[in-house]
Amino acid sequence: MIWGLSRRKDIRLGVLAEGKRAEKLISDEIGASHVIYSVIKVASHKEENGYCFNPETTIGIIFGEYKPPFQSERVKAVCDLFEKSDISYRVTDYIREEIWSKFSLNACNNLPQAILGAGVGCYRDSVHMKAISEGLRSEIEAIAAAKGIEFSRIESSAKGSPVMPSARYSTLQDLDAKRHTEIDMFSGALMRMGKELGIPTPYNEYTYHMTKALE
């Protein structure tokens, strides 16, 4: 199985949302029957002894089939495997929506703070930063709707790790470390999809070029 992980150097969410590129390459190589779509939601932070997270509040792995039968034999096999472990997981009939939801979180929460160089508390403290985040979200939702993605289908979770206002998400961490970012997988992908669908993406275009300039 190949998991659609959100961490760098794995099969990243932005790529999965971008025109079925990554999964096609993998499917061509190992066969589509071996690919189960998923996202991982883990809020972690770095301490002196390594990266830490709270298992009690971690949502974990969300996975499922792209099309019926959703309760397939291979999904049941993965559930049986996870039941024997301490891994947090949830099966869904709406994995497309879950992938797009995580994609939206990455684009709307990662990118504005990266340009400003501030922690995530900026969205709480500044109506202007909140407006930029909402502008990005509106473009994502318009593109998702055109593709038949319905965010209302997503199951809400009582779990969720608290995030410190000073937290710096992955795009800003990349800029801090003078690395290239994932902007091509976020705003770059949305710009291409918007162009294909005839949907304007001015917030993403500005964010894309600003992030490239910072790189």
Side-chain angles (χ1 to χ4, degrees):
M1 291 175 297
I2 301 295
W3 294 97
L5 305 181
S6 61
R7 301 304 302 166
R8 69 190 76 257
K9 294 185 180 178
D10 287 308
I11 304 163
R12 283 178 279 192
L13 179 63
V15 180
L16 286 177
E18 182 191 351
K20 301 181 73 62
R21 275 175 47 186
E23 63 270 35
K24 185 179 187 306
L25 291 172
I26 296 165
S27 297
D28 289 347
E29 194 68 28
I30 67 172
S33 62
H34 301 295
V35 179
I36 294 181
Y37 292 82
S38 71
V39 294
I40 293 181
K41 293 185 177 181
V42 178
S44 61
H45 63 278
K46 189 175 184 180
E47 296 183 357
E48 290 184 1
N49 60 340
Y51 287 93
C52 304
F53 69 96
N54 183 353
E56 297 300 320
T57 59
T58 293
I59 295 174
I61 299 173
I62 305 170
F63 67 97
E65 299 284 7
Y66 234 43
K67 56 186 178 181
F70 296 112
Q71 299 301 317
S72 65
E73 290 302 316
R74 61 184 192 159
V75 165
K76 293 176 183 177
V78 175
C79 289
D80 290 342
L81 176 66
F82 285 165
E83 280 296 322
K84 300 172 185 175
S85 73
D86 296 327
I87 296 174
S88 299
Y89 74 94
R90 172 165 59 82
V91 179
T92 179
D93 292 352
Y94 304 108
I95 190 60
R96 285 202 314 161
E97 280 75 10
E98 293 285 359
I99 289 173
W100 272 82
S101 174
K102 181 66 183 292
F103 186 40
S104 177
L105 285 174
N106 274 330
C108 300
N109 293 350
N110 270 3
L111 304 183
Q113 70 148 188
I115 292 173
L116 188 66
V120 297
C122 65
Y123 303 118
R124 177 199 64 192
D125 297 337
S126 170
V127 295
H128 306 292
M129 289 301 294
K130 183 68 173 176
I132 295 169
S133 178
E134 291 300 326
L136 289 166
R137 180 173 290 105
S138 67
E139 292 175 7
I140 294 171
E141 289 178 349
I143 291 169
K147 289 179 171 287
I149 305 296
E150 298 182 31
F151 289 114
S152 60
R153 292 174 170 174
I154 296 173
E155 178 182 335
S156 61
S157 176
K159 286 187 174 184
S161 302
V163 178
M164 295 293 291
S166 60
R168 299 165 85 83
Y169 288 149
S170 61
T171 303
L172 182 51
Q173 290 176 34
D174 285 338
L175 292 174
D176 289 340
K178 302 189 185 304
R179 294 188 296 257
H180 282 285
T181 71
E182 301 166 306
I183 191 65
D184 288 301
M185 300 179 187
F186 296 150
S187 288
L190 286 161
M191 287 162 59
R192 286 189 290 275
M193 287 186 279
K195 187 175 182 179
E196 291 170 359
L197 295 165
I199 297 173
T201 56
Y203 278 93
N204 276 282
E205 289 175 21
Y206 178 81
T207 301
Y208 175 84
H209 290 295
M210 280 296 295
T211 305
K212 284 292 187 181
L214 289 168
E215 287 181 353

